[in-house]
Amino acid sequence: MEGTPTNVDAKKQVDELWEAIAQTANQHFKHSMPERILKLSTLLKSDDFSLRAGQVGQEPRLEEDETAAPPSKRARVEGSKGAVPVNKALARVVPAIKEEILAVIDIFNSVKIWIQLSIPRIEAGNTFGVDIQTDTISELSRAEDAAYSLLEGITKYYVTRGKLISKVLKHPEIEDYSLSVVELDEKEYLNMRLSTLDLRNNMAIIYDLLSKNWDRIQKPTSSHHTTMF
């Protein structure tokens, strides 16, 4: 059939894809990883990430003013023209963390797939380099899963906060509900800071592991050929 690639063409395209994956992994190792470590360290020292207990939590208040907050950042109250705004401190922190989480996941995934494609066929003899590759893949998978869990945690926070606020509005006479929102915000802020610290530390651990074993990861056996460079 006209336009159908031949086996030779298909192999060439696959080889080009493998080369692109290798170049991306190399770019991440040489540039993205150290840059991300420094960026996360700087983020942790910023004012938004340096608030103390008592500076984060805020009791939910119904705001009638439509200009108080963008519609996308306010919880609508049934039967009311007002809305309860999100926590201001977390509204600044969460987007910054989400951006870092997505970047970290992309880096880990790109490096992991390259190492997986670099594993040579099983042969008798020295498999020390292959063992290093396997261990590195496991570490990358662990760090990647941890980053995904952080994203899930952000969603759960908003769902939990929304449910608590609905109880506050239904039972304003019960002060414990209002205080529970404050405590939830304080807890989530601390969690966001610790999560950012974990992201930085996981990136540093992976980068250190790759740096110490880069030659073995690229060439796990004496007969293995890599197209990284």
Side-chain angles (χ1 to χ4, degrees):
M1 182 181 296
E2 186 178 354
T4 301
T6 64
N7 289 338
V8 175
D9 291 335
K11 184 179 184 306
K12 180 181 178 182
Q13 292 175 13
V14 171
D15 288 342
E16 290 174 350
L17 175 61
W18 196 98
E19 181 66 26
I21 291 173
Q23 290 177 358
T24 299
N26 184 48
Q27 177 72 16
H28 282 324
F29 172 66
K30 287 188 173 182
H31 303 287
S32 301
M33 283 188 167
E35 289 172 359
R36 193 61 54 180
I37 292 170
L38 293 176
K39 185 176 181 181
L40 287 167
S41 296
T42 301
L43 193 63
L44 285 166
K45 296 177 183 178
S46 66
D47 292 340
D48 286 341
F49 282 77
S50 302
L51 299 179
R52 298 180 179 179
Q55 295 179 307
V56 178
Q58 58 188 54
E59 292 189 27
R61 290 288 183 269
L62 185 64
E63 295 183 352
E64 298 294 339
D65 185 1
E66 288 294 324
T67 63
S72 62
K73 292 188 176 182
R74 289 182 281 123
R76 288 290 177 185
V77 183
E78 186 176 356
S80 172
K81 296 181 180 180
V84 178
V86 297
N87 181 279
K88 294 179 181 179
L90 286 165
R92 295 190 299 269
V93 167
V94 170
I97 294 178
K98 286 181 68 175
E99 179 183 347
E100 295 304 314
I101 292 174
L102 294 175
V104 166
I105 289 175
D106 179 63
I107 291 172
F108 288 159
N109 184 265
S110 297
V111 175
K112 183 177 69 174
I113 188 63
W114 168 69
I115 297 176
Q116 288 173 325
L117 291 172
S118 300
I119 296 177
R121 65 182 181 183
I122 299 175
E123 295 178 343
N126 184 13
T127 61
F128 180 66
V130 177
D131 292 339
I132 292 177
Q133 287 181 318
T134 303
D135 290 343
T136 304
I137 290 171
S138 296
E139 281 298 310
L140 284 163
S141 296
R142 178 195 62 78
E144 190 177 4
D145 289 342
Y148 276 118
S149 296
L150 298 181
L151 286 177
E152 294 178 1
I154 292 173
T155 301
K156 290 179 181 178
Y157 158 71
Y158 283 122
V159 171
T160 302
R161 192 175 194 272
K163 290 179 179 179
L164 286 175
I165 288 176
S166 67
K167 291 182 179 180
V168 171
L169 297 175
K170 289 180 181 179
H171 304 284
E173 73 281 3
I174 303 178
E175 189 176 356
D176 286 344
Y177 282 143
S178 293
L179 293 177
S180 68
V181 175
V182 175
E183 290 297 323
L184 179 67
D185 289 345
E186 295 276 1
K187 177 183 176 182
E188 184 63 15
Y189 179 82
L190 177 60
N191 182 56
M192 288 294 96
R193 195 179 193 289
L194 292 176
S195 296
T196 305
L197 185 62
D198 284 341
L199 278 179
R200 195 275 310 275
N201 291 346
N202 283 337
M203 181 65 75
I205 290 170
I206 296 296
Y207 182 67
D208 181 66
L209 179 62
L210 291 172
S211 298
K212 292 176 179 177
N213 299 283
W214 192 244
D215 291 339
R216 280 288 189 178
I217 291 173
Q218 288 189 92
K219 194 174 182 181
T221 62
S222 58
S223 61
H224 182 64
H225 175 67
T226 179
T227 59
M228 173 60 82
F229 299 106

